[in-house]
């Protein structure tokens, strides 16, 4: 079991499965930069988890529900959790509602389904949090993609649960290290990453070492790092 101080944001799983270096830069070095893709994703999440909870017949929609798991060491907010009325034999009790209700997380994503399973793992982690919080089985959830304007159902089978638990353990191991992993340029990933001008994946290793030494000598303030052909971003001293 993890303590409250050891809980890591659920979103870090998404970053981990996309790129371990990106994950470490964001969650260990506290570096962040936006591009068009991240801004569009943020706006979609804001629309999804804002507003009032609502009820439609036998469905209750709870937006922005805080979730956590001390077993996995994760915490965060689910965009939407749907509670479906299932009668009195299973599910959870909701204040002011009769009967029992089965929870199912729904996550909103920009773009289209990805080749890797990061979205499914993040959704499954929310389900595992809900199971721990409510002591009930969560069998499935949903992923809504903005580009398709369509929802895909995700079944939380044994394989996906094992993958999610393994990713959570990898995440804690990664963020316990002294420094982020070395950069490795992968065009499909790196060119779409908002941190490319901080990560410098195409810079020679001796250039990166020079930048680290130079930043370490600065007594205070901020320094600039720029990759040829890229816009200047400001990073704090000590960022690798």
């Amino acid at each position: 079991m993890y303590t409250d101080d050891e809980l890591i944001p659920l979103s870090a799983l998404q970053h981990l499965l996309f790129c371990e270096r990106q994950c470490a830069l964001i969650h260990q070095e506290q570096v962040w930069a936006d591009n068009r893709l991240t801004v569009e994703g943020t706006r979609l999440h804001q629309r999804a988890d804002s507003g009032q909870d609502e009820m439609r017949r036998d469905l209750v929609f709870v937006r922005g529900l805080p979730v956590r798991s001390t077993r996995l060491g994760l915490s965060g907010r689910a965009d939407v959790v749907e509670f479906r009325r299932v009668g009195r034999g299973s599910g959870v009790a909701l204040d002011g509602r009769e009967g029992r209700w089965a929870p199912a997380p729904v996550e909103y994503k920009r773009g289209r389904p990805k080749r890797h399973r990061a979205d499914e793992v993040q959704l499954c982690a929310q389900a595992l949090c809900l199971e721990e919080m409510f002591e009930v089985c969560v069998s499935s959830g949903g992923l809504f993609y903005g580009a398709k304007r369509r929802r895909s159902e995700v079944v939380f089978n044994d394989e996906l649960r094992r993958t999610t638990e393994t990713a959570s353990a990898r995440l804690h191991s990664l963020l316990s290290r002294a420094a982020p992993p070395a950069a490795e340029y992968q065009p499909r990933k790196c060119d779409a990453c908002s941190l490319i001008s901080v990560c410098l994946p195409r810079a020679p290793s001796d250039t990166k070492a020079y930048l680290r030494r130079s930043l370490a000598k600065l007594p205070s303030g901020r320094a600039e790092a720029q990759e040829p052909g890229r816009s200047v971003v400001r990073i704090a001293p000590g960022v690798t």
Side-chain angles (χ1 to χ4, degrees), residues 155-217:
V155 176
F156 304 129
N157 56 30
D158 291 342
E159 178 189 3
L160 181 55
R161 288 169 180 266
R162 286 193 298 269
T163 299
T164 303
E165 292 172 352
T166 299
S168 175
R170 279 178 52 202
L171 175 62
H172 281 273
S173 175
L174 173 69
L175 298 186
S176 68
R177 300 175 191 172
E184 179 182 349
Y185 181 63
Q186 300 180 51
R188 184 182 294 274
K189 289 185 176 182
C190 295
D191 292 346
C193 179
S194 66
L195 299 185
I196 188 170
S197 296
V198 177
C199 177
L200 302 175
R202 290 183 290 186
S205 58
D206 56 344
T207 301
K208 297 174 187 177
Y210 169 78
L211 286 173
R212 288 196 295 269
R213 290 194 299 270
S214 299
L215 291 172
K217 294 177 182 178

Side-chain angles (χ1 to χ4, degrees), residues 99-116:
R100 308 288 290 184
W101 304 77
V106 180
E107 184 75 4
Y108 285 71
K109 300 291 185 182
R110 65 161 304 281
R112 302 176 183 278
K114 302 173 179 63
R115 296 182 179 181
H116 52 74

Side-chain angles (χ1 to χ4, degrees), residues 53-61 85 97-98 101:
D53 301 342
E54 58 180 303
M55 182 172 183
R56 302 175 191 169
R57 295 188 178 181
D58 289 335
L59 274 177
V60 174
F61 300 86
R85 194 195 302 270
R97 313 279 185 185
E98 294 183 358
W101 304 77

